[in-house]
Amino acid sequence: MRLQFFQKTTVSVLAGLLILAAPGVGTAESLAGSKGDSRFAVNFPPGSTGDCPKAYKAYLVASGHSAYATTFYSRVTDLYVICSARLNAPSKKAAEDLALRSCQAGVKKYKVKTASGGCGIAASK
């Protein structure tokens, strides 16, 4: 008799805890479609259909912590854009660090000198 009472009590307490904990599970938001923290406007040369617009679109639809780094673009002086996107990283800071390093590696690889400086994080989430 006593064992049944404890089993029923334990089951009802656990069920109550499960009901209270369930709303917290569903509140985790996806970052997909979010621009995140925008530090400067993302601009592409007119008619640009290269890798940078594709990388920015991939950044926008990424569901996890992501960052988009690019060289600063000036229509008057720069004819190109070097960029990098790091998608679904473990944290926002990790995504920013990896995207910035990858962009800077591209600048060094192509031996590019931009009028407005090197790479910067344009947006991160």
Side-chain angles (χ1 to χ4, degrees):
M1 177 82 174
R2 204 162 205 214
L3 184 61
Q4 279 184 331
F5 176 73
F6 285 124
Q7 284 178 341
K8 288 181 181 181
T9 305
T10 304
V11 168
S12 69
V13 169
L14 290 175
L17 289 174
L18 181 63
I19 289 170
L20 291 175
V25 173
T27 59
E29 246 178 74
S30 172
L31 297 172
S34 167
K35 281 189 178 181
D37 298 328
S38 184
R39 298 189 183 161
F40 58 88
V42 176
N43 296 313
F44 301 109
S48 178
T49 58
D51 291 335
C52 289
K54 290 176 187 174
Y56 186 67
K57 287 177 185 174
Y59 160 76
L60 289 176
V61 298
S63 61
H65 294 291
S66 303
Y68 178 79
T70 184
T71 54
F72 304 104
Y73 173 69
S74 169
R75 277 189 291 177
V76 178
T77 58
D78 297 328
L79 300 174
Y80 44 80
V81 175
I82 294 179
C83 64
S84 173
R86 190 57 62 180
L87 309 175
N88 302 320
S91 70
K92 182 179 173 180
K93 179 155 177 40
E96 289 176 355
D97 290 343
L98 293 170
L100 192 58
R101 272 195 250 151
S102 180
C103 182
Q104 290 168 341
V107 170
K108 287 179 186 174
K109 177 181 176 182
Y110 296 112
K111 298 178 180 142
V112 173
K113 292 190 180 10
T114 60
S116 53
C119 295
I121 299 292
S124 65
K125 55 183 173 179

